[in-house]
Amino acid sequence: MDERAVERLKWRSRRGLLELDIVFERYWKLNGGEMAAAEAKVLEALLLLPDNDLLDLVMGRARAKDAASAALVEKLKAV
Amino acid sequence: MALPVRKFDAVIVGAGGAGLRASYELSKAGLKVAALSKVFPTRSHTVAAQGGVGAALGNMGEDSWHWHMYDTVKGSDWLGDQDAIEFMCRMAPEVVIELEHFGMPFDRNDNGTIYQRPFGGHTANFGEKPVQRSSCAADRTGHAMLHALYQRNVHTKTQFFVEWMALDIIRDAEGRVLGVTALEMETGDIVIFQGKATLFATGGGGRIFASSTNAFINMGDGVGMTARAGIPLEDMEFWQFHPTGVAGAGVLITEGVRGEGGYLLNKNGERFMERYAPTMKDLASRDVVSRAMATEIKEGRGCGPHGDYILLKLDHLGADVINKRLPGIRESAIKFANIDPVKEPIPVVPTCHYQMGGIPTNYHGEVVVPKGGNPSSVVPGFYAAGECGCASIHGANRLGTNSLTDLLVMGKSSALSMLDYIKAEGPKHRDLPKDAGDFSLSRVAALDGKKGGANVDKTRGEIQRTMQAHCGVFRFPDMLVQGVDKIKALADSVANLEIGDKSKVFNTARIEALELQNLYETARATMISAEARKETRGAHDRADFHQRDDNNWLKHTLWYKEGDKLEYKAVNLKPLTVETIPPKARVY
């Protein structure tokens, strides 16, 4: 995965809600700059969600639409 | 080096609630409007607002803008300017109904009118009894507002520049503001956005404190840019705190936890609120609880390896009560404190929530500074609205739900002032100064070229810890004096930041360094202003001067970056049409 593309995703992990900022801060700390292209694609799509919907997913109050998103959401829930 | 110039009628910096309300008004009038934002507009921090918009619609019973005004003046501990407060409270119903027409999905009554919920501090008949005044969209009011406003802007063709960070204000020799320099994250290019009028709607800078409910984007960018441009900052010592945020995270733990029987403990396991408030104990008002917590920490009875937090115990309530009545709290504590409150107490600290001070404006949104004997001389072409602006509506303490009211009213009011100004400016843009942009280029070049400089994360952490320990919710004179020295000592690090990543494309390290320079100005203004104000008023609570002092301190602070100079200007106690609400004790 191109380092600049990862940086872009890092920036898009800056959200309007503090709770999400904290979740993504932990996620990036765990993942560093390493990221598989497939996961990057799923993350990019998740980051397009409105903040409240994304928070509902991460807090387990809602379910992701597809298996790939669900797997990444589980990762975010675990951080 | 000459920078590329993009010309607009209006340049709006920040696309949260205030920025979007203003840009809509301007683009609707047919003007060419640029709205710059670090993040996609609907992911601005306005999205976090849950409580609602305060407006005396009177849908739930009799209400009046005059009662709303009284509550706001009292909330402000009489530091709010009464002309601006009257203006906001009178305009509030109009901007809420406009928002309804924009498609905002407000909660409704059975008769179809907008439902209004009760909120602390909202009263009928000048403090006589509670009134329901807050219009909301479930617990997603800010979210719904941003979406409604963004859609209107798409319709009226506001040009959005997303993932652009404004760097510095451009002023001409007469002090007129002609736009900003801005950095495009995608390319690293720096461009001049020239506007006949420029509005800052950049939000608050609550990240100056180690414990803050603010999202990471709230770095005080507009306030920092304004300070660098030689314009003073007003009333920066006033920040609203909440007693119980998760230590180290900032996520709020609602007061409902103490309502349900939770209580606070110091490191000795003592239920210390019994000493500070023998009757109300843990259910005392926010300021009493926050002050007690800060005192316990200051006197060495804080918990944890650094003695810097308090424990909120609720396990005695039992899993059933916690699960049934406080489910969200259990989720939050597990997620953000790594603590299951059914088994262990939650580490909490008083947590910063809202910035009352900011860029000085009048109620037209025009930025005003002292000049030639006039305390409120207009800076031509420059406007500010929302949390970064200080009209001053909130004075020393903001009334709940007035943040959204402020951004709607002041966003619109600024835009209407800008329309008049732009019309008067005529079709042509003024000439930019020859060196426009040089300052920003030199700042970025210094960052890129620095070797052996200060680390960004470490410096940010030092600023935040200094502000939290020395200038937090309850302020001790010795700590403030030391805090001034400590914050001044960090100037060298902030001026000599080093970043490892030197690339142009999406260089988040560079962006964070530039943000930190804004955060520093916000923090320094706060510390200097707080140390100087020798009284307790609203959110500025001093251990050594425990009373409000209207004889000496019924005045606004103005802090200048140059030499940390402080000036003061009178509070405007004269409303637009009604009688002055005279200062009296602020008790609820």
Side-chain angles (χ1 to χ4, degrees):
Chain A
M1 188 69 196
D2 168 43
E3 187 196 350
R4 293 298 109 192
V6 172
E7 287 291 299
R8 182 188 289 113
L9 287 176
K10 271 189 193 169
W11 183 257
R12 290 186 183 165
S13 307
R14 286 272 206 111
R15 311 298 295 190
L17 294 175
L18 172 70
E19 289 86 346
L20 290 172
D21 279 339
I22 295 169
V23 167
F24 283 112
E25 186 182 45
R26 291 174 180 174
Y27 170 82
W28 286 109
K29 211 173 251 178
L30 278 177
N31 283 269
E34 304 292 312
M35 181 172 246
E39 182 163 324
K41 207 173 159 197
V42 179
L43 179 60
E44 191 163 16
L46 273 186
L47 291 173
L48 290 176
L49 288 174
D51 277 334
N52 285 295
D53 294 346
L54 191 48
L55 186 65
D56 281 348
L57 287 176
V58 168
M59 296 304 285
R61 297 190 286 251
R63 284 183 171 197
K65 275 191 245 160
D66 56 82
S69 303
L72 182 54
V73 167
E74 283 309 310
K75 222 170 167 176
L76 292 169
K77 281 163 82 172
V79 296
Chain B
M1 189 178 99
L3 290 173
V5 180
R6 295 190 183 185
K7 292 185 179 181
F8 296 87
D9 293 314
V11 173
I12 315 283
V13 182
L20 288 175
R21 183 62 190 80
S23 58
Y24 163 67
E25 198 69 37
L26 291 159
S27 54
K28 184 182 69 166
L31 297 188
K32 192 178 171 194
V33 181
L36 280 67
S37 181
K38 294 196 294 185
V39 297
F40 194 77
T42 54
R43 293 200 283 274
S44 304
H45 190 52
T46 305
V47 79
Q50 296 183 346
V53 197
L57 298 170
N59 290 351
M60 317 301 291
E62 192 184 358
D63 198 1
S64 114
W65 64 261
H66 201 182
W67 299 344
H68 184 190
M69 177 183 171
Y70 172 83
D71 293 340
T72 305
V73 171
K74 182 180 173 185
S76 82
D77 217 353
W78 278 270
L79 193 70
D81 287 326
Q82 295 193 19
D83 57 339
I85 294 174
E86 177 179 338
F87 180 76
M88 183 191 78
C89 296
R90 289 178 76 118
M91 285 275 289
E94 176 185 317
V95 292
V96 168
I97 289 164
E98 276 173 354
L99 202 59
E100 183 185 33
H101 295 168
F102 296 166
M104 171 94 171
F106 281 117
D107 293 350
R108 297 199 176 270
N109 292 311
D110 290 343
N111 67 4
T113 55
I114 295 172
Y115 166 76
Q116 297 182 275
R117 63 164 66 132
F119 217 92
H122 293 190
T123 73
N125 206 19
F126 310 101
E128 199 177 277
K129 59 183 182 189
V131 69
Q132 291 183 227
R133 188 183 289 145
S134 172
S135 313
C136 44
D139 60 352
R140 293 190 173 195
T141 308
H143 167 94
M145 184 183 285
L146 282 176
H147 279 264
L149 290 172
Y150 180 67
Q151 291 304 327
R152 299 305 293 182
N153 274 280
V154 170
H155 183 69
T156 53
K157 299 190 168 49
T158 296
Q159 295 184 47
F160 285 99
F161 293 84
V162 176
E163 292 172 344
W164 282 75
M165 180 178 176
L167 299 179
D168 290 293
I169 297 169
I170 298 170
R171 302 182 76 180
D172 67 10
E174 285 84 47
R176 200 178 277 106
V177 169
L178 301 178
V180 293
T181 49
L183 182 147
E184 185 183 27
M185 298 184 192
E186 181 77 47
T187 59
D189 291 344
I190 297 174
V191 172
I192 290 173
F193 281 78
Q194 185 174 6
K196 293 171 190 162
T198 301
L199 170 73
F200 273 18
T202 52
R207 299 303 306 175
I208 64 169
F209 293 99
S211 192
S212 171
T213 66
N214 284 201
F216 291 0
I217 45 177
N218 285 26
M219 296 292 279
D221 294 320
V223 164
M225 286 186 271
T226 302
R228 280 197 298 276
I231 293 165
L233 302 176
E234 181 170 337
D235 291 341
M236 289 300 292
E237 60 270 46
F238 298 100
W239 294 81
Q240 196 165 59
F241 278 71
H242 191 288
T244 54
V246 170
V251 175
L252 278 190
I253 300 291
T254 164
E255 278 152 309
V257 169
R258 281 171 286 129
E260 293 292 345
Y263 54 80
L264 296 162
L265 297 174
N266 63 19
K267 76 170 184 186
N268 304 322
E270 182 202 3
R271 190 176 173 185
F272 59 85
M273 282 311 301
E274 291 178 339
R275 265 190 285 121
Y276 295 89
T279 310
M280 293 303 285
K281 298 177 186 167
D282 296 83
L283 294 178
S285 62
R286 268 186 194 185
D287 56 331
V288 172
V289 175
S290 295
R291 195 182 305 142
M293 292 170 73
T295 305
E296 290 299 297
I297 292 170
K298 159 105 182 346
E299 293 181 353
R301 293 186 293 277
C303 308
H306 304 295
D308 56 359
Y309 59 78
I310 294 296
L311 291 172
L312 175 59
K313 178 178 159 65
L314 56 158
D315 57 289
H316 58 283
L317 301 176
D320 287 349
V321 171
I322 293 173
N323 288 337
K324 194 171 154 203
R325 299 215 193 116
L326 304 163
I329 296 311
R330 188 173 182 193
E331 268 175 20
S332 279
I334 292 172
K335 183 85 193 160
F336 299 107
N338 205 20
I339 289 283
D340 185 349
V342 167
K343 298 174 189 148
E344 292 173 86
I346 310 170
V348 290
V349 283
T351 296
C352 169
H353 191 54
Y354 188 86
Q355 170 188 318
M356 265 78 71
I359 305 163
T361 73
N362 54 25
Y363 66 84
H364 302 294
E366 297 165 319
V367 175
V368 290
V369 296
K371 193 177 171 187
N374 176 4
S376 297
S377 168
V378 170
V379 178
F382 193 28
Y383 303 78
E387 195 170 337
C388 73
C390 182
S392 151
I393 287 166
H394 311 301
N397 202 22
R398 176 179 62 84
L399 184 74
T401 75
N402 268 355
S403 54
L404 293 183
T405 317
D406 171 332
L407 62 80
L408 288 172
V409 170
M410 291 305 296
K412 180 175 181 179
S413 173
S414 304
L416 294 174
S417 309
M418 291 165 80
L419 273 172
D420 288 342
Y421 181 82
I422 291 165
K423 205 183 285 174
E425 280 289 275
K428 280 190 68 177
H429 284 77
R430 290 174 186 269
D431 291 335
L432 288 169
K434 290 221 163 22
D435 61 353
D438 286 2
F439 180 52
S440 298
L441 285 173
S442 68
R443 288 176 59 221
V444 173
L447 274 179
D448 287 347
K450 180 60 68 183
K451 288 199 177 103
N455 176 280
V456 173
D457 285 343
K458 194 167 159 270
T459 308
R460 190 195 306 109
E462 280 181 37
I463 293 170
Q464 292 170 332
R465 281 191 298 276
T466 302
M467 295 306 296
Q468 187 82 24
H470 293 265
C471 197
V473 67
F474 188 38
R475 296 168 174 173
F476 303 90
D478 52 332
M479 296 294 276
L480 283 166
V481 170
Q482 289 168 24
V484 168
D485 289 343
K486 283 191 176 184
I487 215 77
K488 284 183 178 175
L490 286 165
D492 205 39
S493 298
V494 174
N496 291 286
L497 294 170
E498 180 185 359
I499 51 174
D501 186 352
K502 310 286 186 190
S503 55
K504 298 263 284 177
V505 176
F506 263 101
N507 185 335
T508 54
R510 182 188 290 139
I511 296 159
E512 286 176 7
L514 291 164
E515 286 181 321
L516 179 58
Q517 292 174 338
N518 294 327
L519 191 80
Y520 179 70
E521 304 302 343
T522 311
R524 186 161 174 148
T526 301
M527 187 70 87
I528 305 275
S529 305
E531 195 280 325
R533 182 176 283 270
K534 307 286 194 298
E535 66 159 350
T536 284
R537 182 184 297 271
H540 175 65
D541 193 352
R542 282 185 70 123
D544 52 344
F545 295 93
H546 204 55
Q547 300 293 323
R548 195 177 78 200
D549 177 0
D550 289 336
N551 289 331
N552 295 301
W553 289 101
L554 186 57
K555 56 189 181 185
H556 297 293
T557 305
L558 292 173
W559 171 86
Y560 292 79
K561 175 176 161 60
E562 180 79 38
D564 288 314
K565 188 175 75 167
L566 291 173
E567 285 181 1
Y568 294 91
K569 70 172 178 181
V571 174
N572 188 347
L573 294 170
K574 195 166 164 35
L576 299 171
T577 64
V578 291
E579 293 290 311
T580 293
I581 297 170
K584 61 177 185 179
R586 180 167 160 266
V587 283
Y588 287 99

